[in-house]
Amino acid sequence: MTMLPHGLSQLRSLEAESIHIFREVAAEMQKPCLLFSGGKDSITMLHIARKAFAPARIPFPVMHVDTGLNFPSILAYRDRWIERLGLKLVVASVEDAMRRGLVREEPNGSRNRIQTPVLLEAAEQHGFDALFGGGRRDEEKARAKERVFSFRDEFGQWDPKNQRPEIWSLYNGRVFPGQSIRVFPLSNWTELDVWTYIRDEQIEIPDLYLAAEREVVERGGMLYAVSPFIVPRDGETVQVRRVRYRTVGDANLTAAVESDADTIDKIVAEIATVRITERGATRGDDKVSEAAMEDRKKEGYF
C-alpha cells in the first residue's frame, strides 16, 4: 500500500504556529490576557485561542481598551461573543481616565496615543504579565521588526534594539516583577491569510467589513462615514458611496474604502489584488509621521 505524503497547507501551518504560541504562553506566564478590539485580527485570534484550549474554556480574560469612540456595532459584537464564550471582560476606559486626569485628549481628536497609559494602568492593576495582541508584520514597518514575544520593561516600554532571539521558534518569556511580554500569535500572517482563514472557518464578522451604500464625506483624500463621530464640516459634501472598512479603529479616524465586496469570498478576491496595507489605506492616526506607530510602541502601545 502506497502512503501518500502528508503536509499542512500554508494556512494550517500558520494556525498550528499560533496555537503553539497560545499554549506556550499559558504554560510559561503567570497571568496572560487577550487584547480584543472587535477587529478582524482579534476576532481571528480569539477563534484560534478557542481551538488551542478546546474543549476547555479559554483560560485567560479578555481586555478591551475602550476609547469611547468605538463603532456601536463593534461593541455589540464584542459583548455578544464574550457572553457566548463565557469569558471575563476587562474594560479599560479612556474616557474614565480622562475624567480622573490620567490622560488628556489631544487637539487632533485622536485617542490612540493616550490609550497607552490606560492600557498600562489596567495591566498593572490586574497583574497581567503577558498581553496577546493581533499585530501582524505585514501591516506596518514597526510591527515588521517586532518579535513574537515582545519584551516590555518596568514602564511597559519597547526597545527595538534590545529584542530577544527566537531561534527555532523557541520563546523566552522570563520576566522580573513589573516587566511583561506582548505576544503576537498572528505575526507571520498577512491580511489575505486572515480573510482566507475567516472564510474557511466561517467566522462571524461585523457588518462594517462588508460593502454597503453609506453616507460619506471625503477628507484628506479618505472617505469617512457620516456618524455622531464624523459630522460634515463647512464645504464638505455628503455623498452616498458603496464602501466597506478594511480595519476597525476609532470611528472618528478610521476611513472606509470604495468596494463592491459584500461577501467574504469577494473580500478575499479583493485583498489578493491590493498593494497597500489596511493601516496605510484607512487609518488617519498613522499619518501623523512616518514613525507614528514605532513612537507609540516605544511608549507602551500594543
Side-chain angles (χ1 to χ4, degrees):
M1 180 177 178
T2 303
M3 297 294 292
L4 296 176
H6 174 71
L8 295 176
S9 67
Q10 180 202 10
L11 206 57
R12 292 305 161 193
S13 295
L14 288 170
E15 180 192 57
E17 178 186 57
S18 299
I19 287 174
H20 166 66
I21 291 167
F22 273 113
R23 291 173 176 170
E24 190 74 11
V25 171
E28 283 194 49
M29 310 307 291
Q30 296 296 315
K31 198 170 183 183
C33 178
L34 188 149
L35 297 173
F36 187 79
S37 66
K40 64 184 181 305
D41 297 314
S42 59
I43 290 169
T44 300
M45 199 166 54
L46 186 65
H47 183 82
I48 295 172
R50 292 172 63 195
K51 281 193 166 187
F53 302 104
R57 185 179 299 175
I58 295 174
F60 39 76
V62 169
M63 185 200 300
H64 179 212
V65 181
D66 185 354
T67 63
L69 299 173
N70 298 282
F71 291 97
S73 59
I74 295 297
L75 295 179
Y77 180 95
R78 176 202 70 186
D79 294 341
R80 187 163 64 250
W81 271 101
I82 293 299
E83 182 179 1
R84 189 176 299 174
L85 299 179
L87 301 176
K88 176 185 177 182
L89 175 65
V90 175
V91 177
S93 171
V94 172
E95 290 193 329
D96 176 64
M98 290 168 61
R99 286 191 292 268
R100 293 186 286 112
L102 176 65
V103 294
R104 290 188 299 176
E105 188 159 18
E106 296 187 331
N108 63 3
S110 172
R111 295 182 181 176
N112 222 326
R113 185 181 291 273
I114 63 175
Q115 289 182 80
T116 300
V118 181
L119 169 66
L120 296 178
E121 180 188 56
E124 182 179 4
Q125 286 178 346
H126 292 274
F128 297 136
D129 59 354
L131 295 174
F132 292 104
R136 306 186 324 269
R137 287 174 174 149
D138 76 311
E139 62 180 327
E140 205 279 330
K141 290 179 291 187
R143 287 178 168 170
K145 60 185 178 184
E146 191 164 16
R147 300 284 194 263
V148 174
F149 273 41
S150 181
F151 173 76
R152 303 300 172 101
D153 64 18
E154 294 86 345
F155 303 100
Q157 297 174 333
W158 174 59
D159 181 359
K161 296 181 180 180
N162 183 25
Q163 301 190 75
R164 296 173 175 178
E166 293 178 345
I167 304 169
W168 303 305
S169 298
L170 296 176
Y171 304 114
N172 180 0
R174 183 175 298 176
V175 293
F176 292 104
Q179 299 173 344
S180 63
I181 297 286
R182 303 289 170 81
V183 185
F184 301 103
L186 306 183
S187 282
N188 293 324
W189 295 55
T190 66
E191 184 182 7
L192 181 59
D193 292 328
V194 169
W195 279 115
T196 305
Y197 187 78
I198 288 172
R199 180 196 63 190
D200 292 354
E201 294 288 307
Q202 300 182 345
I203 302 172
E204 177 190 347
I205 60 170
D207 290 340
L208 288 174
Y209 282 116
L210 301 175
E213 301 288 335
R214 294 182 170 98
E215 290 189 339
V216 299
V217 294
E218 187 169 347
R219 187 175 296 173
M222 304 170 84
L223 298 175
Y224 292 90
V226 176
S227 71
F229 305 105
I230 295 289
V231 179
R233 299 169 181 168
D234 292 340
E236 291 183 337
T237 302
V238 176
Q239 311 168 54
V240 176
R241 307 272 275 272
R242 190 166 180 80
V243 298
R244 73 175 193 87
Y245 287 86
R246 282 181 65 187
T247 182
V248 175
D250 284 353
N252 66 328
L253 286 171
T254 304
V257 295
E258 288 195 272
S259 173
D260 290 318
D262 54 6
T263 67
I264 296 179
D265 279 327
K266 290 181 181 180
I267 292 176
V268 171
E270 178 183 272
I271 296 302
T273 65
V274 299
R275 291 296 178 265
I276 183 172
T277 69
E278 65 266 45
R279 295 195 72 93
T282 65
R283 295 296 283 270
D285 48 337
D286 285 344
K287 296 186 179 296
V288 176
S289 74
E290 283 291 315
M293 174 62 77
E294 182 161 333
D295 290 341
R296 293 201 301 269
K297 291 182 80 67
K298 288 178 179 178
E299 293 171 357
Y301 186 68
F302 308 150

